[in-house]
Amino acid sequence: MKAFIKKILSHKILIASIVIFFIILFFNLSKVFYSCLSLYFFIGELISGKDCINFVDFFLEYWVATIYLIFFIVFFLIMILKKDTSNNKRSFIFTKRIKEEYKNNKYFRFSLLAIYTIISIGFLAPFISPHDPYKINSISFTKYLPPLSKVKYISFNEYLFDGYSYENNNDLSIKYKSKIQPKLNTFYYDSLKVVNDKIIFYQGSRIKEYSARDLNLETAQVNSTIFVLGTDSYGRDILSRIIYGTRVSLGIAFIASIVSLFLGVLLGLISGYYNRLIDSFIMRITDVFLAFPVIFLLLIIVAFWGNSFIYLAIFIGITTWMDIARLTRTQVITVKKEMYVTSLIALGFKPSRILYKHILPNIITPIIVNIIFRIGTIILMESALSFMGLGINEPIPSWGSIINNGKDNLLNAWWVSLFPGITISSIVLLFNYIGDCMRKIIKVR
Amino acid sequence: MFKYFLKRIFFAFFIVLGIATLTFIITRLAPGDPSMMYLSPEINHEIAKQIRENYGLNESLHIQYLKWLGVIPPFEGIVQGNFGYSFLYHRPVKDMIMDVLPNTLFLTSTALIINFLLGFLLGIYSAYNVNKKSDKIISSISIALYSMPEFWVSLLLIILFSLLLGWFPSSQIHSTNYEDYSFFGKTFDYLKHLFLPILVLGVFSSATTIKYMRGGILDILQKDFILFARMKGLSEKEIFFRHVLRNSLNPIFTLIGLYFPFLLGSSVIVEYVFALPGIGRITIDSIFARDYPIIITTTIISAFLVIIGNLISDILIILNDPRQRKNFR
């Protein structure tokens, strides 16, 4: 028993993340529950072939967050409780070296953990962001609030005149929506006065009057909230926007790097392995792409063909595969001279099999290291695009577009541009540091 | 070797043609009719057709392509040096480019020089003080600078130097009373406006140079011939200038070829933030307005600059290291 507890306690990071995940789960229990329910009904409707459009747009992020949360809690519990089998497991030398580095280098450990935390924040954004990143509420009062400013607010459930509330709605999607994110009338104010049947809000220099009959007074909640990193020009909380922006920026970075990895490795393998004609043809194409400043090409493609999430990721992938193709090609050319490839060719194996099963595993490590560096560059590229207004469209937050929002009021509202920039720099720094460590690991071999 | 460079120049034309074609395809195949940007929907159908004809947008795509190339005799295309007429500004593209090209060239070349000066000095310094505190500080600062987005750094510099301290202007390339200055006043004004952009481009791209310079010199310092030179009793200065420097320069010269596209790309962003009239600024404006002739011309020019950069880097490598000649055949 003692040994068992000791073994469990040795997984410090797993335990810490489970505890944090449980805390998040505890504070968002009803949201998690209703998103599970809505997912269940969505799947039911999908199977029975009904039209379920109202489901997807709102619930998707909650489903993803719920699945992430539950999956990782279960996964980590299994990791802790399962028997230790790492000794008799077959593993690559590369992964072994990474584990060694992880044990010895505390900065490497820290940066991996930080990346894991940031990815989790991105997935769990709807559960942990303190405010709604899209909601614009009394702009003239809430815009450009400095960091750590405390604001009082009063909120009412949205009032329905026909006595027909959202909770008892027949449309399940509306019901679950109101459970997960109750429809609220929120008013921020400095001070508040009730005169006869009127409520008067003093918002800075501005005074707003509301008739009490318009508001659902029974559900009134008086509270105060803190905008930790301040608000932008529309009064939206910057911390929440940064948290939500993680998903756009990192998501695009990962998908784009996968696309460019795929394209680059494919073209590199083909041009390195096959005869000179194909090789020189592909290399000329690579030259043409390399002679473009990447951001030029990207700007043109994105401006002309559209800038939705998936398009951006694919376009960034299409414009950054050249280095990987060249790297793969040189690697293939060196490996091709070795004895085992010659003997495989002599045995009459198909080129596709030789390339995929024998050459690729031998050359993949430097390519993966290159890709890790690439992720940092792609994050920078995406933020530059969003900054210039060619990235993801405005209401959806991306780090670059938050900086763009603060561009017009730099001196008075420095916090709008400062914090997302710090986020970008530190995340790119983390990726670059991990890449550096990986490069060192390869060189040792 | 001369033959090799002739071949390179010959291929360079094909690369430029390829880039122009690629841009043509990307821009013209995109959904949406370009003339929609300039014509109001209520305009008379006949007039709209006439305008489209004037711009040459009514014909099928391959005819447009050949005309634009200048292969069909009566029409002059890029082969004859006619880059077309801007839809947006109603001026010949050539004139517009000529107005702004010097700014971009000055910006990027000065940035390149600063980059290499910094890279040389700091790289050599940190290689000779390897694993000391100063080396660690230099490498950590350079990796931090390398990770920052240029546009954000530009904004921070604007906050600090233009808004708080008021030392440098935050945008444009001339002051409003530029015409009244004397010659030196004009030059000073020009430099003052370009100082922050050059700082961003030069200093923030020098991280890579520092890293490569440091790595190269460290590699060479471990070689046996350096040990031998020390054994002979040569002074460190002599060893450095005779043996270390020239041997470690090759990777740096390869970097020059890579820096040209990088600096041009960065100058797009910097010109956007500082509102400088340059190639990048014009390209962004014309991309937003779907002004095809300008987009294609600027991409051709940038490709030319990139190819010239590659040639320069090859020539420098050969001048520095004659052993490399056998690679350039």
Side-chain angles (χ1 to χ4, degrees):
Chain A
M1 191 63 198
K2 219 175 185 180
F4 182 69
I5 290 172
K6 207 174 178 183
K7 202 197 97 191
I8 286 181
L9 284 180
S10 67
H11 298 85
K12 276 177 214 151
I13 292 153
L14 292 186
I15 288 174
S17 42
I18 282 183
V19 169
I20 292 169
F21 280 179
F22 261 114
I23 292 170
I24 294 169
L25 186 66
F26 179 74
F27 279 105
N28 296 284
L29 211 53
S30 70
K31 281 183 188 175
V32 173
F33 176 69
Y34 281 105
S35 45
C36 285
L37 260 186
S38 64
L39 183 59
Y40 174 72
F41 277 104
F42 169 72
I43 291 169
E45 293 214 349
L46 202 66
I47 289 168
S48 63
K50 274 181 200 159
D51 174 33
C52 34
I53 284 171
N54 352 344
F55 266 107
V56 177
D57 55 347
F58 175 83
F59 287 107
L60 194 60
E61 60 181 23
Y62 284 95
W63 293 341
V64 171
T66 308
I67 291 169
Y68 183 86
L69 197 63
I70 292 170
F71 173 79
F72 268 89
I73 288 175
V74 173
F75 180 70
F76 286 154
L77 280 178
I78 291 172
M79 287 267 282
I80 289 174
L81 295 176
K82 78 166 186 196
K83 275 175 192 163
D84 198 20
T85 53
S86 58
N87 288 333
N88 48 24
K89 217 178 187 180
R90 208 158 57 103
S91 64
F92 278 112
I93 183 101
F94 186 54
T95 46
K96 249 183 211 169
R97 285 200 194 278
I98 287 178
K99 274 179 190 164
E100 266 171 37
E101 181 82 10
Y102 183 83
K103 263 179 201 162
N104 300 330
N105 187 347
K106 65 180 174 189
Y107 298 113
F108 184 64
R109 195 159 57 217
F110 171 76
S111 21
L112 278 185
L113 279 179
I115 296 285
Y116 158 67
T117 318
I118 289 160
I119 292 172
S120 302
I121 286 175
F123 271 106
L124 299 176
F127 292 157
I128 52 180
S129 77
H131 293 88
D132 188 337
Y134 304 108
K135 201 162 189 176
I136 299 171
N137 199 340
S138 13
I139 296 184
S140 59
F141 182 54
T142 51
K143 75 171 177 188
Y144 293 136
L145 287 177
L148 291 177
S149 55
K150 200 172 179 184
V151 179
K152 281 182 274 186
Y153 72 91
I154 183 165
S155 66
F156 309 96
N157 278 8
E158 207 154 270
Y159 199 64
L160 290 163
F161 288 97
D162 44 2
Y164 167 87
S165 80
Y166 284 111
E167 277 79 12
N168 310 326
N169 205 308
N170 285 332
D171 192 340
L172 283 175
S173 71
I174 292 177
K175 186 183 166 186
Y176 293 143
K177 255 183 217 175
S178 69
K179 290 280 187 194
I180 290 176
Q181 217 181 58
K183 290 222 164 191
L184 295 175
N185 280 332
T186 313
F187 300 95
Y188 295 100
Y189 62 89
D190 283 331
S191 59
L192 156 148
K193 231 185 214 174
V194 183
V195 181
N196 297 332
D197 59 344
K198 269 182 189 165
I199 301 178
I200 305 169
F201 296 106
Y202 295 92
Q203 299 180 330
S205 60
R206 205 177 134 179
I207 300 167
K208 252 187 176 180
E209 279 188 12
Y210 282 94
S211 160
R213 268 175 297 164
D214 293 346
L215 302 168
N216 197 348
L217 287 180
E218 289 159 19
T219 57
Q221 277 184 330
V222 182
N223 214 334
S224 68
T225 180
I226 296 177
F227 294 102
V228 179
L229 298 184
T231 57
D232 67 358
S233 64
Y234 295 102
R236 297 171 296 197
D237 179 37
I238 288 172
L239 179 62
S240 320
R241 281 181 78 73
I242 289 175
I243 287 173
Y244 269 78
T246 313
R247 305 192 301 182
V248 172
S249 302
L250 284 189
I252 285 180
F254 280 115
I255 296 175
S257 51
I258 287 169
V259 170
S260 83
L261 179 73
F262 179 76
L263 267 178
V265 168
L266 187 72
L267 290 174
L269 281 179
I270 291 172
S271 78
Y273 188 80
Y274 287 100
N275 58 28
R276 262 194 89 179
L277 195 69
I278 297 172
D279 178 25
S280 58
F281 178 68
I282 291 177
M283 279 301 111
R284 288 297 87 76
I285 293 177
T286 320
D287 282 347
V288 167
F289 270 90
L290 271 177
F292 256 119
V294 174
I295 200 101
F296 255 72
L297 184 59
L298 200 56
L299 278 173
I300 295 169
I301 299 182
V302 169
F304 278 87
W305 292 83
N307 55 355
S308 69
F309 180 88
I310 201 74
Y311 272 16
L312 267 178
I314 290 173
F315 291 152
I316 293 177
I318 286 175
T319 48
T320 51
W321 53 268
M322 293 82 73
D323 289 355
I324 295 162
R326 284 196 158 181
L327 184 66
T328 317
R329 177 173 169 269
T330 48
Q331 295 275 338
V332 171
I333 288 172
T334 46
V335 167
K336 212 180 139 187
K337 284 173 197 155
E338 287 194 24
M339 205 54 201
Y340 68 91
V341 179
T342 324
S343 46
L344 285 169
I345 295 170
L347 280 171
F349 282 154
K350 270 189 285 181
S352 59
R353 178 172 170 171
I354 299 175
L355 280 175
Y356 178 67
K357 282 211 161 168
H358 300 276
I359 292 182
L360 192 59
N362 273 309
I363 62 169
I364 199 73
T365 15
I367 296 167
I368 285 175
V369 173
N370 193 304
I371 263 300
I372 290 169
F373 276 106
R374 187 105 322 185
I375 290 174
T377 344
I378 289 174
I379 291 173
L380 288 181
M381 229 184 262
E382 188 273 333
S383 62
L385 274 185
S386 310
F387 175 74
M388 289 194 270
L390 281 166
I392 290 280
N393 285 330
E394 171 46 37
I396 300 171
S398 145
W399 294 330
S401 63
I402 307 170
I403 295 178
N404 187 27
N405 188 299
K407 188 184 69 176
D408 305 326
N409 205 346
L410 279 178
L411 194 57
N412 300 322
W414 46 268
W415 54 87
V416 184
S417 302
L418 184 71
F419 294 118
I422 291 174
T423 321
I424 297 173
S425 322
S426 43
I427 284 173
V428 174
L429 186 62
L430 288 175
F431 275 112
N432 284 344
Y433 185 73
I434 290 174
D436 252 0
C437 288
M438 296 279 204
R439 190 179 278 168
K440 262 180 223 157
I441 293 168
I442 291 184
K443 265 190 185 168
V444 171
R445 207 169 77 174
Chain B
M1 206 178 67
F2 185 65
K3 221 174 167 183
Y4 170 81
F5 279 105
L6 273 184
K7 217 163 94 186
R8 278 285 295 271
I9 292 167
F10 178 71
F11 271 118
F13 277 104
F14 278 97
I15 287 175
V16 170
L17 188 68
I19 280 173
T21 312
L22 190 67
T23 323
F24 190 90
I25 291 169
I26 291 168
T27 51
R28 294 291 167 97
L29 279 187
D33 184 356
S35 56
M36 289 317 223
M37 295 290 288
Y38 311 100
L39 304 180
S40 112
E42 295 107 46
I43 204 165
N44 190 335
H45 187 68
E46 286 297 313
I47 298 171
K49 202 176 160 192
Q50 185 61 46
I51 291 172
R52 237 170 250 161
E53 237 162 66
N54 286 350
Y55 283 130
L57 292 169
N58 55 338
E59 277 152 309
S60 59
L61 207 63
H62 61 278
I63 302 282
Q64 278 188 43
Y65 177 66
L66 292 177
K67 268 187 181 174
W68 166 80
L69 268 184
V71 184
I72 301 177
F75 301 101
E76 289 198 341
I78 53 167
V79 178
Q80 284 90 2
N82 172 20
F83 288 99
Y85 210 72
S86 160
F87 295 168
L88 184 63
Y89 300 97
H90 303 288
R91 283 178 65 194
V93 174
K94 220 177 184 174
D95 296 359
M96 293 189 56
I97 299 291
M98 280 306 156
D99 281 353
V100 296
L101 189 61
N103 297 336
T104 304
L105 280 184
F106 182 73
L107 184 67
T108 44
S109 51
T110 323
L112 198 66
I113 291 167
I114 287 177
N115 175 345
F116 275 90
L117 277 181
L118 265 182
F120 273 1
L121 294 178
L122 292 181
I124 292 165
Y125 179 78
S126 60
Y128 271 91
N129 294 297
V130 69
N131 286 338
K132 280 184 194 162
K133 212 169 194 178
S134 51
D135 170 39
K136 275 177 185 164
I137 290 172
I138 288 174
S139 6
S140 47
I141 286 178
S142 69
I143 199 174
L145 293 185
Y146 179 72
S147 311
M148 289 180 187
E150 287 121 352
F151 60 90
W152 181 65
V153 171
S154 318
L155 289 182
L156 290 190
L157 289 179
I158 286 177
I159 292 181
L160 183 65
F161 287 113
S162 340
L163 299 179
L164 286 178
L165 297 172
W167 291 354
F168 298 104
S170 66
S171 64
Q172 293 303 331
I173 201 140
H174 299 309
S175 303
T176 38
N177 52 351
Y178 176 73
E179 293 301 326
D180 305 339
Y181 290 139
S182 63
F183 175 73
F184 287 107
K186 277 181 181 172
T187 319
F188 182 68
D189 188 56
Y190 189 68
L191 289 178
K192 203 174 157 188
H193 278 83
L194 280 177
F195 181 80
L196 287 182
I198 288 173
L199 189 71
V200 173
L201 279 188
V203 175
F204 284 82
S205 62
S206 66
T208 326
T209 324
I210 294 174
K211 199 169 130 193
Y212 273 80
M213 195 72 203
R214 179 177 172 273
I217 287 182
L218 280 181
D219 273 358
I220 299 295
L221 280 179
Q222 283 167 357
K223 290 272 165 65
D224 288 345
F225 61 82
I226 300 294
L227 196 68
F228 181 68
R230 283 202 178 123
M231 231 160 67
K232 272 199 311 191
L234 290 180
S235 67
E236 276 298 316
K237 206 173 156 189
E238 247 174 324
I239 294 176
F240 176 71
F241 282 109
R242 286 247 175 110
H243 300 285
V244 179
L245 188 62
R246 272 184 80 177
N247 275 311
S248 59
L249 277 180
N250 275 358
I252 301 294
F253 287 145
T254 336
L255 273 185
I256 291 182
L258 296 177
Y259 269 139
F260 262 87
F262 176 75
L263 280 177
L264 278 171
S266 308
S267 76
V268 172
I269 295 164
V270 170
E271 281 167 13
Y272 177 79
V273 177
F274 287 97
L276 300 175
I279 293 282
R281 180 81 199 167
I282 274 198
T283 314
I284 290 180
D285 287 347
S286 52
I287 282 172
F288 277 120
R290 300 218 163 186
D291 197 346
Y292 298 124
I294 292 188
I295 297 174
I296 293 179
T297 315
T298 50
T299 45
I300 289 175
I301 286 172
S302 63
F304 251 121
L305 292 178
V306 170
I307 287 164
I308 288 170
N310 280 328
L311 275 181
I312 290 174
S313 87
D314 281 355
I315 291 169
L316 281 177
I317 286 175
I318 288 174
L319 286 180
N320 177 48
D321 188 356
R323 286 172 300 178
Q324 295 285 335
R325 272 182 201 166
K326 67 174 188 294
N327 294 342
F328 292 102
R329 256 176 213 155

